[in-house]
Amino acid sequence: MNAKTPPDREQLAAVAAQCIEAGEFHKAFSACQRLNREFPDYPYGWYLASFVMKKVRHHADAVKAIDRALQLCYTHRYQMHRAKCLFDSGDRAGAMEAVGEMRSASFDDPWLHNELGSLLHLLGDQSGALAQYSRATELDDRIAEFHFNKAAVQRYLGDAAGSEVSFDAVLHLKPHEFEAYTGRSQLRTQTRERNHVPQLQDVLGRTSFSAGRVQLHYALAKELEDIGDHENAFDHLKQGSDTKRRGMQYNIDTDLQIIAKICESYGAALFDGQIQGCASAEPIFIIGMPRTGTTLVERILASHSSVFAAGELNTFSLELMRLVKASPSPAPASRLDFVAKSAQVDFLALGESYINSTRPMRDTSPHFIDKLPFNYLYAGLIHLALPRAKIINLQRHPMDTCYAVYKQLFKDAYPFSYDLDELGQYYVAYHRLMQHWNEVMPGVMYTLRYEAVVADIEGEARRLLEYCGLLWEDQCLRFYEDTQASTTASAIQVRQPVYDTSLGKWRHYSRQLESLRMYLEGAGIDCG
């Protein structure tokens, strides 16, 4: 470049874009500074600057820069970026307002519709997300990603048939989109007359990619179990889980030590006398091991006119981490040190910050449900921070629980679930933790057995509502008619009345699970 000829704005923008592409954000920031200084009326320069700020998590600066771009030139792309910046900053209400402007607009960019759908999904508006994904597929039906996103949201909304059509479209366009095979297998109970077993076996035989083979093994395990071929179902399940476990960096001893440290740090003395936490009675926590009926109970309660289902929130743990880090004492040196320091936080401040931070995720109902199963780790701390909050602890037969966890391919959570020995160790630690909570704060948690709900749904629902201080409403028994989306593994099942076909399912595999049963019973857990 001739030193006497200053670069034009397109050249500077190209340099910034190249640095962004290379992940060199410090250089990109410098290029954007020069670009915006020399060409302050160039909207694309401010968009690039906002993009860099978003990447390095300078959220407020990212919003300011994109606002400047929008003042100079309104485009749907800039508005979409602004909504994402607001969401990343924690301003969900602002993000929803920003996407509201886009939803009423007309534009023909399928990728932008797909982006808008993804943000609406994150904001909890699954119906809105579906409309955007559908528009994306209308504009270009050759993109597998659009069909996959549409299939996922259709599943959340209970449209199993529509979701299967969309997953089929994904696999037609992209046969190696392995997650689509697993997602499709979960949509319905497969039959001998109508299943995907031959196709899955064929694709598995031609696939060497380990992550793909994991998905295919789990899909085959599900469909073979559905058609009654339990021997081969478990063989595929074990192959899938073994392969998954080999690809993970996980040490169960860390989790076991954390649970033991929780029991040590939260002794009975913490719960003696008047607990000075936040006085809000809005939250209803549903906790328990995954696959124990937490979603079913959530749907029963959420059918009540005074209750809103806010979903699986990670808000409590995030607010706890924020308070511990903000403490004047030295930062935690380890996860065990974090547990010890968590018992010394300002419980009132924790409760209030939790209530305030959840407001964008819920409506104006008197109560809201936080259904994050592994909040069982925080049950004592929840009571200290929110002594009027309700805590519902779901329990299920230990072997049914462990088998249901073992056969579920989780996206990120529950790393202990892919090895039966580790699963047994974790379950024993979890069981002891729940015993500890009941000992140090007796009568606080409401324990509800999944089998009892299946056997007498009306009786258990009435007792549950009484515990929550709610008057009886008949629609709580018609929870399966609720059109609200469910983003859990039980998204399809909760659209049906209560059924008992999942009770005792582990007994089909009693031989393969014998060592697990013996381990649990050796720890004093009744598996009869």
PDB file of all heavy atoms in Angstrom, residues 495-528:
ATOM      1  N   ARG A 495     -46.969 -34.968  26.576  1.00  0.00           N
ATOM      2  CA  ARG A 495     -48.189 -34.656  25.810  1.00  0.00           C
ATOM      3  C   ARG A 495     -49.222 -35.763  25.945  1.00  0.00           C
ATOM      4  O   ARG A 495     -50.296 -35.695  25.363  1.00  0.00           O
ATOM      5  CB  ARG A 495     -47.845 -34.491  24.322  1.00  0.00           C
ATOM      6  CG  ARG A 495     -46.708 -33.533  24.047  1.00  0.00           C
ATOM      7  CD  ARG A 495     -47.087 -32.105  24.300  1.00  0.00           C
ATOM      8  NE  ARG A 495     -45.924 -31.220  24.131  1.00  0.00           N
ATOM      9  CZ  ARG A 495     -45.955 -29.916  24.273  1.00  0.00           C
ATOM     10  NH1 ARG A 495     -47.095 -29.319  24.571  1.00  0.00           N
ATOM     11  NH2 ARG A 495     -44.869 -29.178  24.121  1.00  0.00           N
ATOM     12  N   GLN A 496     -48.897 -36.807  26.700  1.00  0.00           N
ATOM     13  CA  GLN A 496     -49.778 -37.950  26.853  1.00  0.00           C
ATOM     14  C   GLN A 496     -50.241 -38.056  28.304  1.00  0.00           C
ATOM     15  O   GLN A 496     -49.554 -37.600  29.216  1.00  0.00           O
ATOM     16  CB  GLN A 496     -49.032 -39.240  26.480  1.00  0.00           C
ATOM     17  CG  GLN A 496     -48.355 -39.209  25.120  1.00  0.00           C
ATOM     18  CD  GLN A 496     -47.330 -40.310  24.976  1.00  0.00           C
ATOM     19  OE1 GLN A 496     -47.396 -41.328  25.654  1.00  0.00           O
ATOM     20  NE2 GLN A 496     -46.363 -40.121  24.091  1.00  0.00           N
ATOM     21  N   PRO A 497     -51.424 -38.670  28.528  1.00  0.00           N
ATOM     22  CA  PRO A 497     -51.817 -38.969  29.915  1.00  0.00           C
ATOM     23  C   PRO A 497     -50.780 -39.872  30.578  1.00  0.00           C
ATOM     24  O   PRO A 497     -49.954 -40.497  29.900  1.00  0.00           O
ATOM     25  CB  PRO A 497     -53.161 -39.684  29.737  1.00  0.00           C
ATOM     26  CG  PRO A 497     -53.652 -39.262  28.390  1.00  0.00           C
ATOM     27  CD  PRO A 497     -52.427 -39.083  27.546  1.00  0.00           C
ATOM     28  N   VAL A 498     -50.824 -39.934  31.901  1.00  0.00           N
ATOM     29  CA  VAL A 498     -49.859 -40.755  32.633  1.00  0.00           C
ATOM     30  C   VAL A 498     -49.982 -42.218  32.201  1.00  0.00           C
ATOM     31  O   VAL A 498     -51.072 -42.740  32.023  1.00  0.00           O
ATOM     32  CB  VAL A 498     -50.094 -40.626  34.150  1.00  0.00           C
ATOM     33  CG1 VAL A 498     -49.298 -41.664  34.915  1.00  0.00           C
ATOM     34  CG2 VAL A 498     -49.700 -39.233  34.618  1.00  0.00           C
ATOM     35  N   TYR A 499     -48.836 -42.856  32.009  1.00  0.00           N
ATOM     36  CA  TYR A 499     -48.800 -44.276  31.629  1.00  0.00           C
ATOM     37  C   TYR A 499     -47.800 -44.988  32.529  1.00  0.00           C
ATOM     38  O   TYR A 499     -46.927 -44.361  33.137  1.00  0.00           O
ATOM     39  CB  TYR A 499     -48.408 -44.428  30.156  1.00  0.00           C
ATOM     40  CG  TYR A 499     -47.126 -43.729  29.786  1.00  0.00           C
ATOM     41  CD1 TYR A 499     -45.886 -44.358  29.907  1.00  0.00           C
ATOM     42  CD2 TYR A 499     -47.137 -42.402  29.334  1.00  0.00           C
ATOM     43  CE1 TYR A 499     -44.708 -43.710  29.574  1.00  0.00           C
ATOM     44  CE2 TYR A 499     -45.965 -41.744  29.008  1.00  0.00           C
ATOM     45  CZ  TYR A 499     -44.750 -42.407  29.124  1.00  0.00           C
ATOM     46  OH  TYR A 499     -43.579 -41.746  28.809  1.00  0.00           O
ATOM     47  N   ASP A 500     -47.934 -46.308  32.623  1.00  0.00           N
ATOM     48  CA  ASP A 500     -47.085 -47.060  33.552  1.00  0.00           C
ATOM     49  C   ASP A 500     -46.099 -47.984  32.845  1.00  0.00           C
ATOM     50  O   ASP A 500     -45.469 -48.829  33.478  1.00  0.00           O
ATOM     51  CB  ASP A 500     -47.946 -47.872  34.529  1.00  0.00           C
ATOM     52  CG  ASP A 500     -48.817 -48.911  33.822  1.00  0.00           C
ATOM     53  OD1 ASP A 500     -48.700 -49.061  32.591  1.00  0.00           O
ATOM     54  OD2 ASP A 500     -49.623 -49.559  34.522  1.00  0.00           O
ATOM     55  N   THR A 501     -45.930 -47.820  31.529  1.00  0.00           N
ATOM     56  CA  THR A 501     -45.077 -48.753  30.786  1.00  0.00           C
ATOM     57  C   THR A 501     -43.591 -48.584  31.103  1.00  0.00           C
ATOM     58  O   THR A 501     -42.790 -49.464  30.776  1.00  0.00           O
ATOM     59  CB  THR A 501     -45.291 -48.579  29.275  1.00  0.00           C
ATOM     60  OG1 THR A 501     -45.106 -47.197  28.931  1.00  0.00           O
ATOM     61  CG2 THR A 501     -46.693 -49.008  28.868  1.00  0.00           C
ATOM     62  N   SER A 502     -43.218 -47.459  31.722  1.00  0.00           N
ATOM     63  CA  SER A 502     -41.800 -47.278  32.046  1.00  0.00           C
ATOM     64  C   SER A 502     -41.442 -47.828  33.420  1.00  0.00           C
ATOM     65  O   SER A 502     -40.273 -47.843  33.804  1.00  0.00           O
ATOM     66  CB  SER A 502     -41.433 -45.793  31.981  1.00  0.00           C
ATOM     67  OG  SER A 502     -42.171 -45.063  32.934  1.00  0.00           O
ATOM     68  N   LEU A 503     -42.444 -48.284  34.181  1.00  0.00           N
ATOM     69  CA  LEU A 503     -42.170 -48.843  35.509  1.00  0.00           C
ATOM     70  C   LEU A 503     -41.531 -50.218  35.379  1.00  0.00           C
ATOM     71  O   LEU A 503     -42.013 -51.073  34.637  1.00  0.00           O
ATOM     72  CB  LEU A 503     -43.462 -48.953  36.320  1.00  0.00           C
ATOM     73  CG  LEU A 503     -44.236 -47.662  36.575  1.00  0.00           C
ATOM     74  CD1 LEU A 503     -45.465 -47.962  37.440  1.00  0.00           C
ATOM     75  CD2 LEU A 503     -43.355 -46.625  37.240  1.00  0.00           C
ATOM     76  N   GLY A 504     -40.437 -50.413  36.097  1.00  0.00           N
ATOM     77  CA  GLY A 504     -39.782 -51.718  36.107  1.00  0.00           C
ATOM     78  C   GLY A 504     -39.108 -52.089  34.807  1.00  0.00           C
ATOM     79  O   GLY A 504     -38.767 -53.269  34.594  1.00  0.00           O
ATOM     80  N   LYS A 505     -38.877 -51.129  33.934  1.00  0.00           N
ATOM     81  CA  LYS A 505     -38.273 -51.449  32.629  1.00  0.00           C
ATOM     82  C   LYS A 505     -36.865 -52.016  32.789  1.00  0.00           C
ATOM     83  O   LYS A 505     -36.394 -52.784  31.939  1.00  0.00           O
ATOM     84  CB  LYS A 505     -38.268 -50.199  31.751  1.00  0.00           C
ATOM     85  CG  LYS A 505     -37.871 -50.458  30.304  1.00  0.00           C
ATOM     86  CD  LYS A 505     -38.158 -49.281  29.404  1.00  0.00           C
ATOM     87  CE  LYS A 505     -39.616 -49.214  29.019  1.00  0.00           C
ATOM     88  NZ  LYS A 505     -39.885 -48.222  27.960  1.00  0.00           N
ATOM     89  N   TRP A 506     -36.198 -51.672  33.869  1.00  0.00           N
ATOM     90  CA  TRP A 506     -34.847 -52.162  34.085  1.00  0.00           C
ATOM     91  C   TRP A 506     -34.805 -53.680  34.176  1.00  0.00           C
ATOM     92  O   TRP A 506     -33.768 -54.306  33.911  1.00  0.00           O
ATOM     93  CB  TRP A 506     -34.259 -51.551  35.367  1.00  0.00           C
ATOM     94  CG  TRP A 506     -34.839 -52.109  36.644  1.00  0.00           C
ATOM     95  CD1 TRP A 506     -35.960 -51.696  37.286  1.00  0.00           C
ATOM     96  CD2 TRP A 506     -34.328 -53.204  37.417  1.00  0.00           C
ATOM     97  NE1 TRP A 506     -36.187 -52.431  38.418  1.00  0.00           N
ATOM     98  CE2 TRP A 506     -35.197 -53.374  38.522  1.00  0.00           C
ATOM     99  CE3 TRP A 506     -33.235 -54.048  37.293  1.00  0.00           C
ATOM    100  CZ2 TRP A 506     -34.998 -54.351  39.483  1.00  0.00           C
ATOM    101  CZ3 TRP A 506     -33.033 -55.035  38.260  1.00  0.00           C
ATOM    102  CH2 TRP A 506     -33.903 -55.176  39.333  1.00  0.00           C
ATOM    103  N   ARG A 507     -35.934 -54.302  34.546  1.00  0.00           N
ATOM    104  CA  ARG A 507     -35.942 -55.755  34.736  1.00  0.00           C
ATOM    105  C   ARG A 507     -35.725 -56.512  33.432  1.00  0.00           C
ATOM    106  O   ARG A 507     -35.338 -57.681  33.451  1.00  0.00           O
ATOM    107  CB  ARG A 507     -37.256 -56.185  35.396  1.00  0.00           C
ATOM    108  CG  ARG A 507     -37.410 -55.618  36.806  1.00  0.00           C
ATOM    109  CD  ARG A 507     -38.643 -56.150  37.522  1.00  0.00           C
ATOM    110  NE  ARG A 507     -38.815 -55.480  38.806  1.00  0.00           N
ATOM    111  CZ  ARG A 507     -38.155 -55.823  39.925  1.00  0.00           C
ATOM    112  NH1 ARG A 507     -37.283 -56.811  39.902  1.00  0.00           N
ATOM    113  NH2 ARG A 507     -38.379 -55.159  41.047  1.00  0.00           N
ATOM    114  N   HIS A 508     -35.962 -55.866  32.291  1.00  0.00           N
ATOM    115  CA  HIS A 508     -35.623 -56.501  31.014  1.00  0.00           C
ATOM    116  C   HIS A 508     -34.120 -56.737  30.902  1.00  0.00           C
ATOM    117  O   HIS A 508     -33.676 -57.559  30.092  1.00  0.00           O
ATOM    118  CB  HIS A 508     -36.070 -55.624  29.842  1.00  0.00           C
ATOM    119  CG  HIS A 508     -37.560 -55.515  29.685  1.00  0.00           C
ATOM    120  ND1 HIS A 508     -38.364 -56.605  29.442  1.00  0.00           N
ATOM    121  CD2 HIS A 508     -38.380 -54.436  29.732  1.00  0.00           C
ATOM    122  CE1 HIS A 508     -39.630 -56.199  29.344  1.00  0.00           C
ATOM    123  NE2 HIS A 508     -39.666 -54.901  29.526  1.00  0.00           N
ATOM    124  N   TYR A 509     -33.361 -56.015  31.719  1.00  0.00           N
ATOM    125  CA  TYR A 509     -31.902 -56.079  31.631  1.00  0.00           C
ATOM    126  C   TYR A 509     -31.298 -56.470  32.979  1.00  0.00           C
ATOM    127  O   TYR A 509     -30.203 -56.040  33.330  1.00  0.00           O
ATOM    128  CB  TYR A 509     -31.362 -54.714  31.180  1.00  0.00           C
ATOM    129  CG  TYR A 509     -32.084 -54.173  29.971  1.00  0.00           C
ATOM    130  CD1 TYR A 509     -33.098 -53.221  30.112  1.00  0.00           C
ATOM    131  CD2 TYR A 509     -31.794 -54.651  28.697  1.00  0.00           C
ATOM    132  CE1 TYR A 509     -33.781 -52.747  29.010  1.00  0.00           C
ATOM    133  CE2 TYR A 509     -32.477 -54.175  27.590  1.00  0.00           C
ATOM    134  CZ  TYR A 509     -33.474 -53.227  27.759  1.00  0.00           C
ATOM    135  OH  TYR A 509     -34.153 -52.766  26.657  1.00  0.00           O
ATOM    136  N   SER A 510     -32.027 -57.263  33.733  1.00  0.00           N
ATOM    137  CA  SER A 510     -31.579 -57.593  35.089  1.00  0.00           C
ATOM    138  C   SER A 510     -30.218 -58.277  35.080  1.00  0.00           C
ATOM    139  O   SER A 510     -29.407 -58.064  35.993  1.00  0.00           O
ATOM    140  CB  SER A 510     -32.626 -58.467  35.790  1.00  0.00           C
ATOM    141  OG  SER A 510     -32.913 -59.612  35.023  1.00  0.00           O
ATOM    142  N   ARG A 511     -29.955 -59.093  34.051  1.00  0.00           N
ATOM    143  CA  ARG A 511     -28.636 -59.752  33.978  1.00  0.00           C
ATOM    144  C   ARG A 511     -27.539 -58.717  33.737  1.00  0.00           C
ATOM    145  O   ARG A 511     -26.515 -58.709  34.434  1.00  0.00           O
ATOM    146  CB  ARG A 511     -28.632 -60.784  32.852  1.00  0.00           C
ATOM    147  CG  ARG A 511     -27.267 -61.462  32.628  1.00  0.00           C
ATOM    148  CD  ARG A 511     -27.342 -62.499  31.522  1.00  0.00           C
ATOM    149  NE  ARG A 511     -27.763 -61.925  30.255  1.00  0.00           N
ATOM    150  CZ  ARG A 511     -26.936 -61.282  29.417  1.00  0.00           C
ATOM    151  NH1 ARG A 511     -25.662 -61.112  29.734  1.00  0.00           N
ATOM    152  NH2 ARG A 511     -27.392 -60.814  28.273  1.00  0.00           N
ATOM    153  N   GLN A 512     -27.729 -57.826  32.781  1.00  0.00           N
ATOM    154  CA  GLN A 512     -26.701 -56.829  32.457  1.00  0.00           C
ATOM    155  C   GLN A 512     -26.512 -55.810  33.573  1.00  0.00           C
ATOM    156  O   GLN A 512     -25.435 -55.229  33.719  1.00  0.00           O
ATOM    157  CB  GLN A 512     -27.075 -56.103  31.164  1.00  0.00           C
ATOM    158  CG  GLN A 512     -27.118 -56.999  29.923  1.00  0.00           C
ATOM    159  CD  GLN A 512     -28.523 -57.521  29.636  1.00  0.00           C
ATOM    160  OE1 GLN A 512     -29.315 -57.703  30.577  1.00  0.00           O
ATOM    161  NE2 GLN A 512     -28.839 -57.760  28.372  1.00  0.00           N
ATOM    162  N   LEU A 513     -27.555 -55.599  34.375  1.00  0.00           N
ATOM    163  CA  LEU A 513     -27.487 -54.595  35.442  1.00  0.00           C
ATOM    164  C   LEU A 513     -27.271 -55.206  36.826  1.00  0.00           C
ATOM    165  O   LEU A 513     -27.355 -54.494  37.833  1.00  0.00           O
ATOM    166  CB  LEU A 513     -28.791 -53.771  35.449  1.00  0.00           C
ATOM    167  CG  LEU A 513     -29.104 -52.979  34.174  1.00  0.00           C
ATOM    168  CD1 LEU A 513     -30.489 -52.346  34.272  1.00  0.00           C
ATOM    169  CD2 LEU A 513     -28.046 -51.916  33.916  1.00  0.00           C
ATOM    170  N   GLU A 514     -26.984 -56.475  36.878  1.00  0.00           N
ATOM    171  CA  GLU A 514     -26.863 -57.160  38.166  1.00  0.00           C
ATOM    172  C   GLU A 514     -25.776 -56.552  39.040  1.00  0.00           C
ATOM    173  O   GLU A 514     -25.965 -56.360  40.250  1.00  0.00           O
ATOM    174  CB  GLU A 514     -26.585 -58.648  37.940  1.00  0.00           C
ATOM    175  CG  GLU A 514     -26.369 -59.467  39.210  1.00  0.00           C
ATOM    176  CD  GLU A 514     -27.606 -59.530  40.113  1.00  0.00           C
ATOM    177  OE1 GLU A 514     -28.707 -59.110  39.679  1.00  0.00           O
ATOM    178  OE2 GLU A 514     -27.480 -60.016  41.255  1.00  0.00           O
ATOM    179  N   SER A 515     -24.615 -56.250  38.469  1.00  0.00           N
ATOM    180  CA  SER A 515     -23.526 -55.692  39.286  1.00  0.00           C
ATOM    181  C   SER A 515     -23.916 -54.325  39.843  1.00  0.00           C
ATOM    182  O   SER A 515     -23.562 -53.985  40.979  1.00  0.00           O
ATOM    183  CB  SER A 515     -22.241 -55.581  38.465  1.00  0.00           C
ATOM    184  OG  SER A 515     -22.425 -54.704  37.358  1.00  0.00           O
ATOM    185  N   LEU A 516     -24.655 -53.549  39.094  1.00  0.00           N
ATOM    186  CA  LEU A 516     -25.133 -52.253  39.579  1.00  0.00           C
ATOM    187  C   LEU A 516     -26.099 -52.454  40.739  1.00  0.00           C
ATOM    188  O   LEU A 516     -25.990 -51.777  41.778  1.00  0.00           O
ATOM    189  CB  LEU A 516     -25.816 -51.485  38.441  1.00  0.00           C
ATOM    190  CG  LEU A 516     -26.523 -50.184  38.822  1.00  0.00           C
ATOM    191  CD1 LEU A 516     -25.533 -49.165  39.365  1.00  0.00           C
ATOM    192  CD2 LEU A 516     -27.286 -49.610  37.628  1.00  0.00           C
ATOM    193  N   ARG A 517     -27.033 -53.383  40.595  1.00  0.00           N
ATOM    194  CA  ARG A 517     -28.004 -53.640  41.659  1.00  0.00           C
ATOM    195  C   ARG A 517     -27.297 -54.078  42.937  1.00  0.00           C
ATOM    196  O   ARG A 517     -27.615 -53.609  44.041  1.00  0.00           O
ATOM    197  CB  ARG A 517     -29.000 -54.708  41.223  1.00  0.00           C
ATOM    198  CG  ARG A 517     -30.126 -54.958  42.242  1.00  0.00           C
ATOM    199  CD  ARG A 517     -30.985 -56.139  41.849  1.00  0.00           C
ATOM    200  NE  ARG A 517     -30.238 -57.385  41.867  1.00  0.00           N
ATOM    201  CZ  ARG A 517     -29.950 -58.081  42.972  1.00  0.00           C
ATOM    202  NH1 ARG A 517     -30.344 -57.642  44.161  1.00  0.00           N
ATOM    203  NH2 ARG A 517     -29.263 -59.200  42.903  1.00  0.00           N
ATOM    204  N   MET A 518     -26.316 -54.970  42.804  1.00  0.00           N
ATOM    205  CA  MET A 518     -25.588 -55.459  43.976  1.00  0.00           C
ATOM    206  C   MET A 518     -24.815 -54.327  44.654  1.00  0.00           C
ATOM    207  O   MET A 518     -24.741 -54.258  45.887  1.00  0.00           O
ATOM    208  CB  MET A 518     -24.650 -56.585  43.570  1.00  0.00           C
ATOM    209  CG  MET A 518     -25.371 -57.873  43.158  1.00  0.00           C
ATOM    210  SD  MET A 518     -24.234 -59.212  42.696  1.00  0.00           S
ATOM    211  CE  MET A 518     -23.393 -59.488  44.252  1.00  0.00           C
ATOM    212  N   TYR A 519     -24.253 -53.418  43.851  1.00  0.00           N
ATOM    213  CA  TYR A 519     -23.509 -52.285  44.426  1.00  0.00           C
ATOM    214  C   TYR A 519     -24.433 -51.373  45.222  1.00  0.00           C
ATOM    215  O   TYR A 519     -24.111 -50.966  46.343  1.00  0.00           O
ATOM    216  CB  TYR A 519     -22.808 -51.505  43.315  1.00  0.00           C
ATOM    217  CG  TYR A 519     -22.003 -50.334  43.836  1.00  0.00           C
ATOM    218  CD1 TYR A 519     -20.713 -50.527  44.333  1.00  0.00           C
ATOM    219  CD2 TYR A 519     -22.529 -49.048  43.853  1.00  0.00           C
ATOM    220  CE1 TYR A 519     -19.976 -49.465  44.834  1.00  0.00           C
ATOM    221  CE2 TYR A 519     -21.803 -47.977  44.345  1.00  0.00           C
ATOM    222  CZ  TYR A 519     -20.526 -48.193  44.838  1.00  0.00           C
ATOM    223  OH  TYR A 519     -19.805 -47.144  45.341  1.00  0.00           O
ATOM    224  N   LEU A 520     -25.592 -51.069  44.653  1.00  0.00           N
ATOM    225  CA  LEU A 520     -26.539 -50.189  45.345  1.00  0.00           C
ATOM    226  C   LEU A 520     -27.038 -50.832  46.638  1.00  0.00           C
ATOM    227  O   LEU A 520     -27.116 -50.177  47.686  1.00  0.00           O
ATOM    228  CB  LEU A 520     -27.719 -49.849  44.435  1.00  0.00           C
ATOM    229  CG  LEU A 520     -27.419 -49.058  43.157  1.00  0.00           C
ATOM    230  CD1 LEU A 520     -28.717 -48.732  42.423  1.00  0.00           C
ATOM    231  CD2 LEU A 520     -26.645 -47.788  43.458  1.00  0.00           C
ATOM    232  N   GLU A 521     -27.378 -52.098  46.561  1.00  0.00           N
ATOM    233  CA  GLU A 521     -27.870 -52.778  47.765  1.00  0.00           C
ATOM    234  C   GLU A 521     -26.773 -52.899  48.808  1.00  0.00           C
ATOM    235  O   GLU A 521     -27.046 -52.821  50.010  1.00  0.00           O
ATOM    236  CB  GLU A 521     -28.439 -54.141  47.392  1.00  0.00           C
ATOM    237  CG  GLU A 521     -29.737 -54.026  46.586  1.00  0.00           C
ATOM    238  CD  GLU A 521     -30.487 -55.343  46.485  1.00  0.00           C
ATOM    239  OE1 GLU A 521     -29.857 -56.410  46.631  1.00  0.00           O
ATOM    240  OE2 GLU A 521     -31.722 -55.294  46.253  1.00  0.00           O
ATOM    241  N   GLY A 522     -25.525 -53.076  48.352  1.00  0.00           N
ATOM    242  CA  GLY A 522     -24.402 -53.123  49.288  1.00  0.00           C
ATOM    243  C   GLY A 522     -24.210 -51.808  50.022  1.00  0.00           C
ATOM    244  O   GLY A 522     -23.654 -51.773  51.128  1.00  0.00           O
ATOM    245  N   ALA A 523     -24.705 -50.718  49.418  1.00  0.00           N
ATOM    246  CA  ALA A 523     -24.624 -49.395  50.053  1.00  0.00           C
ATOM    247  C   ALA A 523     -25.867 -49.094  50.884  1.00  0.00           C
ATOM    248  O   ALA A 523     -26.031 -47.973  51.374  1.00  0.00           O
ATOM    249  CB  ALA A 523     -24.435 -48.324  48.985  1.00  0.00           C
ATOM    250  N   GLY A 524     -26.735 -50.087  51.018  1.00  0.00           N
ATOM    251  CA  GLY A 524     -27.924 -49.909  51.850  1.00  0.00           C
ATOM    252  C   GLY A 524     -29.118 -49.341  51.127  1.00  0.00           C
ATOM    253  O   GLY A 524     -30.084 -48.904  51.767  1.00  0.00           O
ATOM    254  N   ILE A 525     -29.099 -49.346  49.805  1.00  0.00           N
ATOM    255  CA  ILE A 525     -30.219 -48.809  49.023  1.00  0.00           C
ATOM    256  C   ILE A 525     -31.126 -49.963  48.603  1.00  0.00           C
ATOM    257  O   ILE A 525     -30.682 -50.925  47.979  1.00  0.00           O
ATOM    258  CB  ILE A 525     -29.702 -48.046  47.784  1.00  0.00           C
ATOM    259  CG1 ILE A 525     -28.879 -46.833  48.237  1.00  0.00           C
ATOM    260  CG2 ILE A 525     -30.859 -47.611  46.890  1.00  0.00           C
ATOM    261  CD1 ILE A 525     -28.167 -46.109  47.110  1.00  0.00           C
ATOM    262  N   ASP A 526     -32.387 -49.867  48.950  1.00  0.00           N
ATOM    263  CA  ASP A 526     -33.345 -50.931  48.667  1.00  0.00           C
ATOM    264  C   ASP A 526     -33.701 -50.940  47.183  1.00  0.00           C
ATOM    265  O   ASP A 526     -34.243 -49.967  46.655  1.00  0.00           O
ATOM    266  CB  ASP A 526     -34.604 -50.718  49.511  1.00  0.00           C
ATOM    267  CG  ASP A 526     -35.633 -51.819  49.304  1.00  0.00           C
ATOM    268  OD1 ASP A 526     -35.304 -52.837  48.669  1.00  0.00           O
ATOM    269  OD2 ASP A 526     -36.775 -51.652  49.785  1.00  0.00           O
ATOM    270  N   CYS A 527     -33.411 -52.035  46.513  1.00  0.00           N
ATOM    271  CA  CYS A 527     -33.729 -52.175  45.087  1.00  0.00           C
ATOM    272  C   CYS A 527     -34.790 -53.248  44.861  1.00  0.00           C
ATOM    273  O   CYS A 527     -34.947 -53.770  43.755  1.00  0.00           O
ATOM    274  CB  CYS A 527     -32.472 -52.521  44.289  1.00  0.00           C
ATOM    275  SG  CYS A 527     -31.216 -51.236  44.315  1.00  0.00           S
ATOM    276  N   GLY A 528     -35.521 -53.608  45.901  1.00  0.00           N
ATOM    277  CA  GLY A 528     -36.519 -54.655  45.779  1.00  0.00           C
ATOM    278  C   GLY A 528     -37.736 -54.216  44.993  1.00  0.00           C
ATOM    279  O   GLY A 528     -37.914 -53.043  44.709  1.00  0.00           O
TER     280      GLY A 528
END
